[in-house]
Amino acid sequence: MAGIKEEKKIYLVGIYCRLSKDDGTDNESASIATQKSILTDYVKKQGWHIAKTYVDDGYSGTNFQRPSFQNMIKDIESGLINCVITKDLSRLGRNYLDCGLYLEVFFPEHNVRYIAVNDGVDTLNKSAMDITPFRNILNEMYAADISVKIKSAYRARFQQGKFMGTTAPYGYIKDPADHNHLLIDDKVAHVVKEIFDLALKGNGVAKICRHLNKQHILRPAAYAAERGETGFERHFEGNEDKRYIWSGNSVRSILRSPIYAGNLVGYKRIAANMKSKKRPSKLPEEWEVIPNTHEGIVTQEEFDIVQQLITSRRLPQNKGGFVNIFAGVIKCVDCGCALRAMNVHRRKRPEIIDCVQYSCNNYARNGRSECSAHNIEARDLFNAVLADINCFADMAVNDEKAVRAIEKRLTETDQSRAKALEKERKKLNKRLAELDRLFSSLYEDKVMERITERNFEMMSGKYQKEQLEIEARLKEVTETLNESYEKSRGIRDFLALIRNYQGLKELDATVINALIDKILVSEREKMADGTVKQEIKIYYKFIGFVDELHIIPTKRWAAMPAKNCTVCGVEYVPGSGASRYCPACAKKIRREKSNESKRRSRERNRQACIELSAKNDRLSWDIEEDMRKKRQQER
């Protein structure tokens, strides 16, 4: 090569070959075998010795963390080779920053000569090396262009609803006739269904895991390994019991995945660019979802309810054993925060529900500066909601007149507004048609030179602006009308749903989550007659809020049975299960205990004074004795 200083040095050559999918497999000149042949012939002609051949087959040039490349770097550092040869510069890599680092820093520091045969690159040829950085930039631009094309192709297939994963998710198999389509795997679909059923009943992820572990069901990775899929068996080597231990992440990923509702999901983690290997996770609401691409194991309604339960961070059971069926549903009407179930430990009741009250979580954490307590007894809430559901269920079955009245009340405003919007929509469509005719007439006048170009531009701009405004308003009106129609359908759907709950005796989380979106609780209010009332607003599925419920809160002592005083025997109503005395005796006993406590306190103080005085007397005697002995010694 011109410009190279002649050397008779015999080199220990490392031949490096690389091929990735980005480079294409249809081009024979880029194959590994061809690269080896070209480089071997070149080394023989030079009379050098091939120390080792390094091959990275199927690795991208944008990343230098390739196994054989890293082995070559270690051999260079160990002094086993002093010359690296590739077919062309792009075989070394397609990241111009890293390529420049190796060519200009690493290789010279280790006295290694680098040659790219087809590109005429040789680190001993200074003139040829001046243009090498530009070659590296072009190689990276090629990789970036290929990356964009591949991503576009994948996105297009994703938008068509084609599944692009290497393996099917747990509960599904790939369709033998179309590997981009999913079919339900009957062997484990019942497990997925059971997981969603447990979640709908208010069970958390940990409880679902314990249930699956007791059933001795293969976890997803173990099931994939059993089907012969590679890359999973390593998780269970040396510990077969791990095959049946479900993790919280496995259950949570199933509950979160729209796949199980029949939707294709993708782009959960996206790299910032081609060079970055970090793929930060996106929130579920930011995932891209293509609906109705395959058969779902659960319905869309069931999946949506589970997402609400997960988002609300349900705590279905507190430490006292109370099953909190309203968790994630009950909210404070003022601040919007959740109301949490709290045990009231100062009282005892036969049933645990009578020992629980709900209180605003914001108030409990931050005090009155943020909100007020909004306390409501769990029993009161339970009874009010159960009665309201039964009322609607009975009405839906037996009272068609009341049903029509509710339908009219809920849709009366919407219907009157819908009529006005429908009238406006007709008017807007009519005006759009007029503008089209005006545009046509205006263009004809321009062609026939009845108006000037300036007037044509002015009038057409005015009409076009009006046209855009009308189209925007028309879109807004259409969306509002669609919402109104959906609400009318929602009322019918709600009535059809609640009919199934006529005569309901008990509430559980499944019933609450099936019927109710949220419950808003107001603060207690003292009325003019001295009674205390509290307002509850229930927002049902499909129809939302209907009527307020006004309840009279239960007094905490009302449920306690009367008992006899252990001192005087008089019957009285206790304030807590631990009470043993009537109010009069309790007052007398508290006074006696207080006097006794004061007497003991005075006695302790008197004794302390005596001990302190004795201690001072001993200290004075010791001082006088020391002085006496000192005077005797001085004599």
Side-chain angles (χ1 to χ4, degrees):
M1 295 182 184
I4 302 177
K5 185 178 179 179
E6 293 295 332
E7 286 192 1
K8 295 182 179 180
K9 183 178 179 180
I10 304 299
Y11 287 97
L12 298 175
V13 178
I15 291 176
Y16 180 74
C17 307
R18 183 189 63 80
L19 183 70
S20 72
K21 294 179 181 179
D22 297 347
D23 299 310
T25 55
D26 55 342
N27 187 355
E28 182 59 25
S29 65
S31 69
I32 295 296
T34 303
Q35 291 181 51
K36 286 183 180 179
S37 176
I38 293 173
L39 299 179
T40 302
D41 291 343
Y42 179 84
V43 172
K44 287 181 179 179
K45 288 180 182 178
Q46 299 297 325
W48 298 335
H49 173 66
I50 298 178
K52 194 173 181 179
T53 300
Y54 304 90
V55 176
D56 280 320
D57 195 358
Y59 288 88
S60 172
T62 60
N63 181 11
F64 280 82
Q65 299 303 316
R66 312 169 216 143
S68 292
F69 183 85
Q70 292 301 318
N71 290 336
M72 182 178 72
I73 295 301
K74 291 178 182 178
D75 290 343
I76 290 174
E77 292 172 342
S78 302
L80 298 179
I81 59 176
N82 57 10
C83 182
V84 175
I85 301 180
T86 62
K87 174 179 167 289
D88 53 53
L89 195 58
S90 66
R91 298 306 98 197
L92 183 68
R94 292 188 183 275
N95 185 320
Y96 80 93
L97 291 176
D98 289 340
C99 277
L101 180 65
Y102 283 107
L103 292 177
E104 298 179 17
V105 179
F106 183 81
F107 289 160
E109 285 181 352
H110 292 81
N111 297 317
V112 172
R113 181 179 180 181
Y114 171 75
I115 299 173
V117 177
N118 288 358
D119 289 340
V121 174
D122 191 331
T123 51
L124 294 184
N125 188 344
K126 303 303 180 183
S127 59
M129 287 300 295
D130 291 340
I131 200 174
T132 299
F134 298 100
R135 293 182 183 271
N136 285 330
I137 293 174
L138 292 174
N139 288 333
E140 181 171 313
M141 290 176 62
Y142 173 81
D145 182 59
I146 292 295
S147 176
V148 170
K149 290 178 180 177
I150 291 175
K151 288 178 179 178
S152 298
Y154 271 103
R155 181 171 284 279
R157 291 170 70 83
F158 173 76
Q159 295 292 341
Q160 295 170 5
K162 296 182 180 295
F163 178 75
M164 304 298 294
T166 306
T167 59
Y170 182 76
Y172 286 94
I173 57 174
K174 288 189 175 183
D175 188 346
D178 181 7
H179 282 200
N180 298 123
H181 182 254
L182 296 175
L183 298 176
I184 292 178
D185 186 353
D186 296 328
K187 293 181 180 179
V188 294
H190 69 279
V191 178
V192 176
K193 180 64 176 173
E194 186 175 9
I195 290 173
F196 275 90
D197 288 342
L198 290 169
L200 287 170
K201 292 177 181 177
N203 294 290
V205 171
K207 195 169 183 179
I208 295 174
C209 287
R210 289 194 296 270
H211 175 80
L212 296 173
N213 294 339
K214 288 179 182 178
Q215 299 293 322
H216 208 61
I217 297 172
L218 281 173
R219 59 188 286 189
Y223 180 71
E226 191 178 72
R227 288 195 305 182
E229 296 178 8
T230 58
F232 295 98
E233 192 62 39
R234 58 189 173 86
H235 296 294
F236 315 107
E237 293 177 357
N239 191 350
E240 290 296 315
D241 292 339
K242 289 180 66 176
R243 295 179 184 273
Y244 302 95
I245 299 177
W246 284 68
S247 68
N249 287 336
S250 296
V251 173
R252 191 176 293 104
S253 64
I254 289 175
L255 293 175
R256 275 293 194 187
S257 178
I259 285 281
Y260 299 102
N263 309 317
L264 189 64
V265 62
Y267 299 94
K268 300 187 207 177
R269 302 174 64 195
I270 301 178
N273 53 53
M274 178 188 70
K275 295 181 180 181
S276 175
K277 300 306 173 185
K278 293 183 179 180
R279 300 168 63 87
S281 297
K282 300 171 72 175
L283 295 173
E285 52 268 25
E286 297 174 340
W287 296 347
E288 295 189 29
V289 179
I290 307 297
N292 304 321
T293 57
H294 56 274
E295 184 181 357
I297 297 177
V298 299
T299 65
Q300 185 65 47
E301 291 75 17
E302 290 173 331
F303 179 79
D304 291 339
I305 291 173
V306 169
Q307 303 319 298
Q308 292 177 8
L309 300 182
I310 294 174
T311 304
S312 64
R313 298 181 180 180
R314 297 177 57 85
L315 296 174
Q317 183 169 321
N318 66 5
K319 295 179 180 179
F322 172 68
V323 179
N324 186 7
I325 62 174
F326 296 105
V329 176
I330 183 171
K331 309 285 184 182
C332 174
V333 72
D334 294 319
C335 69
C337 289
L339 266 63
R340 64 181 181 182
M342 303 173 63
N343 283 335
V344 184
H345 298 291
R346 60 178 173 273
R347 47 189 178 139
K348 295 182 180 178
R349 298 291 185 271
E351 294 186 45
I352 187 66
I353 190 174
D354 294 310
C355 299
V356 176
Q357 72 175 11
Y358 287 92
S359 182
C360 177
N361 203 24
N362 190 17
Y363 167 77
R365 290 182 176 178
N366 304 307
R368 290 194 175 276
S369 61
E370 296 295 332
C371 196
S372 57
H374 291 76
N375 292 332
I376 182 171
E377 297 291 319
R379 174 69 75 181
D380 291 341
L381 180 65
F382 183 95
N383 291 340
V385 174
L386 179 61
D388 203 52
I389 290 174
N390 277 320
C391 178
F392 276 111
D394 290 338
M395 181 189 64
V397 174
N398 302 319
D399 196 345
E400 293 185 5
K401 185 177 179 180
V403 169
R404 286 195 296 272
I406 287 182
E407 287 180 346
K408 183 179 180 181
R409 180 156 57 87
L410 291 176
T411 60
E412 187 172 11
T413 304
D414 290 336
Q415 285 179 351
S416 59
R417 187 185 179 196
K419 289 180 181 178
L421 290 174
E422 191 65 48
K423 185 176 180 180
E424 183 182 358
R425 183 163 68 172
K426 290 180 180 179
K427 185 177 179 181
L428 292 173
N429 283 324
K430 183 178 179 180
R431 179 56 181 168
L432 277 179
E434 290 176 356
L435 287 174
D436 289 339
R437 290 193 297 270
L438 287 171
F439 265 119
S440 177
S441 176
L442 188 66
Y443 182 74
E444 184 178 342
D445 289 344
K446 175 181 177 295
V447 172
M448 300 299 296
E449 297 184 350
R450 297 187 188 123
I451 60 173
T452 63
E453 182 73 24
R454 178 178 176 276
N455 289 337
F456 173 77
E457 294 292 340
M458 181 182 66
M459 294 301 296
S460 62
K462 177 183 176 182
Y463 290 150
Q464 189 173 15
K465 180 181 178 181
E466 184 182 0
Q467 197 173 39
L468 292 174
E469 291 175 352
I470 290 175
E471 289 175 349
R473 176 57 184 166
L474 192 60
K475 181 180 179 182
E476 183 180 342
V477 168
T478 303
E479 290 176 353
T480 306
L481 285 172
N482 290 338
E483 290 176 1
S484 177
Y485 298 147
E486 286 178 4
K487 187 170 184 179
S488 298
R489 288 195 301 269
I491 294 172
R492 294 191 293 272
D493 293 339
F494 171 74
L495 293 172
L497 174 63
I498 204 168
R499 285 190 183 98
N500 301 323
Y501 296 92
Q502 187 185 25
L504 186 67
K505 301 296 182 183
E506 292 291 335
L507 289 179
D508 57 31
T510 304
V511 174
I512 297 298
N513 296 325
L515 293 176
I516 298 174
D517 277 328
K518 63 180 177 181
I519 300 173
L520 299 183
V521 177
S522 68
E523 186 58 272
R524 296 178 179 181
E525 181 182 0
K526 191 171 183 178
M527 312 304 292
D529 59 359
T531 60
V532 178
K533 290 187 177 181
Q534 194 165 21
E535 184 180 277
I536 301 174
K537 293 182 179 180
I538 301 177
Y539 289 75
Y540 286 99
K541 303 282 188 184
F542 305 114
I543 62 172
F545 170 66
V546 181
D547 280 319
E548 300 94 345
L549 297 178
H550 294 277
I551 66 169
I552 298 177
T554 301
K555 293 183 179 180
R556 293 182 177 176
W557 49 265
M560 292 297 295
K563 59 175 21 178
N564 296 325
C565 176
T566 57
V567 175
C568 65
V570 175
E571 187 177 73
Y572 73 103
V573 178
S576 71
S579 176
R580 294 185 296 168
Y581 314 113
C582 67
C585 291
K587 184 177 181 181
K588 181 180 178 181
I589 290 171
R590 281 198 298 271
R591 185 168 60 250
E592 291 176 353
K593 288 183 176 179
S594 177
N595 292 336
E596 179 64 21
S597 176
K598 290 177 181 178
R599 186 191 64 79
R600 287 197 299 266
S601 178
R602 286 196 298 269
E603 181 63 25
R604 283 196 301 270
N605 292 338
R606 187 180 68 83
Q607 189 64 31
C609 288
I610 293 172
E611 292 177 356
L612 181 61
S613 178
K615 184 177 179 181
N616 289 336
D617 289 343
R618 288 195 301 270
L619 184 61
S620 298
W621 187 86
D622 290 340
I623 293 173
E624 290 178 358
E625 184 66 20
D626 289 340
M627 293 293 291
R628 185 180 63 81
K629 290 180 179 180
K630 187 175 181 180
R631 284 195 297 270
Q632 287 178 353
Q633 289 176 357
E634 289 177 352
R635 290 174 185 171

